[in-house]
Amino acid sequence: YMGEDSRFVSMTTRVPSADYVEWFWQDDSGVWVSYPPIVCLGLEKALQPKKFPISVKINKYETVELADANTFVQKSSKHQQEGSANVVIRGRDAFEELVLPEVGAGAEEYVAKWSWAGDSPHGSQSIWVEYDPQMSGRFENAFRKGIVKLDVDKERYLALDTFLQHRHDNPTAKFRRVRRLEPKRLPPLPAHWDPMDGTDYVEIPLSATSAEYTRLALPFRRIESCHVRNDFNHKVLFNEFEITRIVRVQNKRLWYPFWDWKQNIVATAPVSNIRCPAPLDIANTNPANEYLLFHGLNLRSADAITKENFKISASNATGMFGRGIYFGENSSKCNQYSHAPPCQQNGAGPRGDHSGCQCTQNLEVCVLVCRVALGECWIETTFQGNDPGKFWYQRSSPPSENSKQYHSVVGNCAPLMFREFIVYEPSQVIPEYKIYYKRKLT
């Protein structure tokens, strides 16, 4: 029994300076409430022998019952009906697992920011100092669940009902104001995505009989005859792609900035539509010029790109249209850039030079299918060169013309036989599928 004033039987009234395990209980309205430190210490002490069941009376009316190492409830002899109980959880990790917002790194603008009022040179609390992301996350978790008091550190605590930060040793002395900046509303996830159960990243294998699989497989298997001899970038001869599997990538961390970029494109100005083959259209109405496009790569880079997106710093500065991210509407064109370990080659090599390629026909390789918001496209019909001093030399952004800023480039000029699509901002892209396949010669 801990006494009506929640003191230990040892009559210790001061919480030890060492860290303690926090305990929380959920009231009848669903609000999570943190126990006072001294109660947490008492529950932790009672738990250690692990001789279940354990009953701990924390005041005159409430008792916490520990059924086993993971099942805890609080019962009251005063307010609750017989047989009813409130859930109790142990540890901040368990608490935060229940209430963390479903966003991750790369989507910080969708998380509320918490700040405290610092002193100005004149002594007034008028300089807002932002808490670090971890502390802001703690406050936001508690705020969403209705907890009214939460420790900042061993010396201070935050009263979430008044948005004031107090000292433990003298709550009525000097306090500081705290503010919460409302986060942006999370955009809707694509309707065809599966539920993600609170995770930021998941891969979903597609059934070979599904309409989604067929929609991707049909254009992917379409091979241009000029690509069969394939004297460009690797030495594997083929006339057929044998798909081994297609995986849908669902990445919230990349979806949120992509959504923002797309909305900015639409809000800026109407864009001229660039028609891609019908199977790769996103929708009939396409104000952001949003398409599914292919990207060939070395298989060893696929997981890093689908999880963290493309990095401009890793792109080729001597690319035909500068340092950008390149896509194609023809799978067999993008296949020219597809390699797999043990081959170390990545990207384009000199035409006809296969010395760096170790690819063989039995290797499984990969092409990404990416959702790309092209926006207003600069269409290059006469190549302006990428040698030093030329228009495209090491360019890292799309061109502008007469104060008009373009969002992407479409290469539709000699020596290209097929169009290329280039963007210079990773937020314009979200890798959405990985198509694994083998090159066959039949």
Side-chain angles (χ1 to χ4, degrees), residues 254-267:
L254 302 187
W255 172 254
Y256 297 139
F258 174 79
W259 171 273
D260 274 352
W261 184 272
K262 188 170 65 170
Q263 302 311 305
N264 290 337
I265 288 177
V266 174

Side-chain angles (χ1 to χ4, degrees), residues 264-294:
N264 290 337
I265 288 177
V266 174
T268 301
V271 298
S272 305
N273 191 260
I274 304 295
R275 294 297 299 170
C276 287
L280 294 180
D281 279 357
I282 297 293
N284 293 326
T285 57
N286 199 346
N289 265 338
E290 180 184 353
Y291 293 102
L292 291 175
L293 298 170
F294 298 114

Side-chain angles (χ1 to χ4, degrees), residues 102-267:
E102 293 184 4
V103 295
E108 289 82 1
E109 64 270 32
Y110 297 103
V111 180
K113 290 182 171 56
W114 291 73
S115 307
W116 56 277
D119 294 331
S120 71
H122 305 290
S124 61
Q125 293 185 7
S126 57
I127 298 178
W128 289 102
V129 182
E130 193 170 308
Y131 289 101
D132 63 56
Q134 183 178 6
M135 187 64 70
S136 284
R138 288 189 63 204
F139 293 161
E140 184 65 15
N141 289 332
F143 176 77
R144 291 187 179 203
K145 285 298 180 180
I147 289 178
V148 297
K149 181 180 177 181
L150 196 67
D151 286 346
V152 177
D153 51 35
K154 295 174 184 176
E155 298 178 351
R156 289 171 285 271
Y157 70 90
L158 175 62
L160 288 162
D161 52 349
T162 60
F163 282 77
L164 296 175
Q165 180 177 285
H166 300 270
R167 294 188 63 86
H168 281 300
D169 56 2
N170 194 349
T172 60
K174 183 178 180 181
F175 53 81
R176 294 190 180 277
R177 292 176 295 135
V178 172
R179 72 177 182 183
R180 172 184 180 269
L181 297 181
E182 188 73 24
K184 294 169 61 176
R185 185 178 296 275
L186 288 172
L189 298 176
H192 65 283
W193 282 16
D194 286 14
M196 298 185 66
D197 299 327
T199 60
D200 286 338
Y201 182 91
V202 67
E203 294 188 2
I204 308 293
L206 299 186
S207 168
T209 60
S210 67
E212 186 177 7
Y213 183 103
T214 302
R215 177 172 174 258
L216 295 163
L218 285 177
F220 180 77
R221 292 192 178 109
R222 189 180 302 128
I223 298 174
E224 302 295 337
S225 59
C226 62
H227 293 147
V228 171
R229 59 189 178 90
N230 194 46
D231 62 352
F232 177 51
N233 202 24
H234 60 71
K235 57 188 178 184
V236 181
L237 298 178
F238 68 97
N239 56 14
E240 179 183 334
F241 290 150
E242 180 184 275
I243 298 176
T244 55
R245 55 198 164 111
I246 300 179
V247 175
R248 185 201 309 134
V249 178
Q250 300 180 182
N251 191 335
K252 290 181 184 177
R253 294 172 55 196
L254 302 187
W255 172 254
Y256 297 139
F258 174 79
W259 171 273
D260 274 352
W261 184 272
K262 188 170 65 170
Q263 302 311 305
N264 290 337
I265 288 177
V266 174

